[in-house]
């Protein structure tokens, strides 16, 4: 595994933690604010901080990108994904929603082979199939625990997958803070009309929560984008499942909620499929002709 792939995998894992923490903080706000208001306030809180961090790391006050339309598209897709996911949290726990959201790495693997023309082995496709099975079991369609909110998470996972794929075209000069800044900027611009119709003010006691949501969402977006720009999407998709451990842990620590049996069973199947895919990517590769050369030396070796 090359250093760039290792770093990209680490970034994906930490972005998963940030997403789970953002979801957990957001769930504390969902009873008092409309989804659109949460996204708008979170974005507005993040913008000045992200700008200052960009200015400090880049050494200049101006902020821009060579592919601003891409950031606008990413902002619209990310906004849709966040809106659908946050809306689902009104009925689902963070752990249940996260397990269903794990359909996203499955979609990333499939889309990368079509759009990016990345080779996906039979083992990877088997892993994808097992993951999909785990997601179906976690959603439990037709079961007593099934909720229509689960379908919102499925749609959200597709949006996240699309943003993971288009990260490949982010200009190399755009750093983490630049990417996160434009993500927050376009999210705020697109969501403002809807948020104003549901505006009910802000409780000062919630500012800390909004600050936490802004920090976690910005870091998650930035780290994930940089990771998928650095390494093949099909390789990184499996590491996205690290969010499972984060989600189950955070849900248990904060709310003492034990995930439902379908969620646990689906998560187990998903983890097994990830192990299969991880083993395949870490299998030692024998250079062409090496086995033949070894056989020849064995035949020439004196008794």
């Amino acid at each position: 595994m090359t250093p760039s792939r290792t770093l990209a995998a680490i970034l994906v894992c930490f972005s998963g933690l940030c997403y789970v923490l953002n979801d957990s903080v957001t769930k504390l706000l969902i009873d008092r604010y409309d989804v659109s208001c949460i996204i708008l306030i979170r974005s507005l809180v993040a913008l000045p901080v992200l700008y200052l961090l960009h200015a400090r790391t880049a050494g200049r006050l101006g902020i821009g990108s060579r592919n601003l339309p891409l950031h606008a598209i990413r902002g619209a897709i990310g906004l849709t994904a966040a809106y659908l996911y946050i809306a689902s949290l009104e009925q689902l726990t963070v752990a249940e929603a996260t397990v269903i959201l794990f359909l996203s790495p499955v979609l990333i693997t499939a889309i990368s082979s079509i759009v990016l023309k990345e080779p996906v082995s039979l083992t990877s496709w088997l892993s994808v199939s097992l993951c999909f099975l785990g997601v179906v079991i976690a959603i439990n369609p037709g079961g007593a625990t099934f909720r229509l909110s689960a379908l919102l998470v499925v749609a959200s996972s597709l949006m996240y997958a699309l943003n993971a794929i288009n990260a490949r075209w982010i200009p190399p000069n755009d750093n983490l803070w630049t990417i996160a800044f434009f993500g927050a900027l376009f999210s705020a611009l697109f969501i403002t009309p809807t948020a104003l119709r549901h505006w009910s003010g802000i409780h000062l006691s919630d500012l800390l929560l909004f600050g936490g949501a802004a920090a976690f969402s910005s870091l998650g977006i930035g780290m994930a984008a940089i990771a998928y720009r650095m390494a093949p999407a099909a390789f990184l998709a499996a590491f996205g499942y690290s969010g499972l451990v984060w989600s189950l842990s955070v849900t248990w620590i904060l709310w003492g909620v034990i995930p439902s049996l379908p969620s646990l069973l689906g998560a187990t199947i998903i983890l097994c499929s990830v192990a299969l895919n991880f083993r395949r990517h870490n299998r030692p590769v024998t250079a062409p002709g090496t086995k033949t050369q070894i056989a020849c030396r064995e035949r020439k070796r004196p008794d």
Side-chain angles (χ1 to χ4, degrees):
M1 189 181 296
T2 62
S4 61
R5 284 194 174 194
T6 301
L7 177 58
I10 293 174
L11 288 175
V12 169
C13 291
F14 276 102
S15 71
L17 172 60
C18 289
Y19 281 134
V20 170
L21 291 175
N22 169 67
D23 298 339
S24 301
V25 172
T26 300
K27 192 169 179 64
L28 298 175
L29 298 167
I30 195 67
D31 292 335
R32 298 189 295 278
Y33 300 91
D34 184 76
V35 175
S36 59
C37 295
I38 293 176
I39 296 176
L40 176 61
I41 299 171
R42 184 185 71 183
S43 299
L44 293 178
V45 170
L47 281 173
V49 178
L50 293 172
Y51 173 77
L52 292 175
L53 290 171
H54 160 80
R56 181 176 178 82
T57 56
R60 63 179 187 276
L61 295 179
I63 184 169
S65 174
R66 294 180 180 178
N67 199 346
L68 200 58
L70 175 61
H71 286 290
I73 294 173
R74 286 178 53 81
I77 294 175
L79 171 62
T80 305
Y83 188 96
L84 293 173
Y85 184 83
I86 293 174
S88 74
L89 293 179
E90 294 182 3
Q91 297 185 23
L92 300 176
T93 67
V94 173
E96 290 171 334
T98 301
V99 171
I100 301 171
L101 195 65
F102 281 159
L103 181 60
S104 183
V106 176
L107 296 173
I108 290 172
T109 303
I111 296 174
S112 67
S113 67
I114 299 173
V115 178
L116 301 179
K117 307 300 181 183
E118 293 180 354
V120 181
S121 67
L122 180 61
T123 304
S124 295
W125 282 118
L126 178 59
S127 176
V128 165
S129 301
L130 289 174
C131 286
F132 183 76
L133 175 62
V135 171
V136 171
I137 292 176
I139 295 177
N140 193 21
T145 60
F146 175 71
R147 304 180 182 91
L148 290 178
S149 296
L151 299 180
L152 297 179
V153 189
V154 173
S156 178
S157 68
L158 175 60
M159 298 295 103
Y160 281 121
L162 292 177
N163 259 2
I165 296 298
N166 67 42
R168 186 65 56 85
W169 297 293
I170 296 177
N173 292 332
D174 292 358
N175 60 28
L176 186 152
W177 311 119
T178 306
I179 296 171
F181 176 86
F182 284 119
L185 175 64
F186 286 110
S187 291
L189 290 176
F190 294 146
I191 201 65
T192 294
T194 303
L196 291 179
R197 290 198 299 267
H198 297 88
W199 188 259
S200 59
I202 306 175
H203 302 287
L204 294 180
S205 58
D206 292 331
L207 286 179
L208 184 60
L209 292 176
F210 279 113
F216 295 136
S217 63
S218 298
L219 287 172
I221 292 171
M223 287 191 290
I226 289 178
Y228 281 101
R229 187 177 63 182
M230 293 172 58
F235 164 74
L236 291 176
F239 292 94
Y241 292 106
S242 62
L244 175 66
V245 178
W246 303 125
S247 177
L248 296 179
S249 301
V250 170
T251 302
W252 175 66
I253 293 173
L254 292 184
W255 293 289
V257 177
I258 300 177
S260 64
L261 182 59
S263 295
L264 289 174
L265 180 57
T268 301
I269 295 175
I270 288 172
L271 287 177
C272 291
S273 68
V274 171
L276 176 67
N277 199 37
F278 183 80
R279 180 180 178 184
R280 184 261 172 187
H281 280 290
N282 285 274
R283 184 180 301 166
V285 179
T286 304
T290 301
K291 292 183 178 179
T292 303
Q293 294 171 5
I294 293 175
C296 290
R297 286 197 297 267
E298 290 292 336
R299 286 196 296 269
K300 293 179 180 179
R301 183 178 299 172
D303 295 334

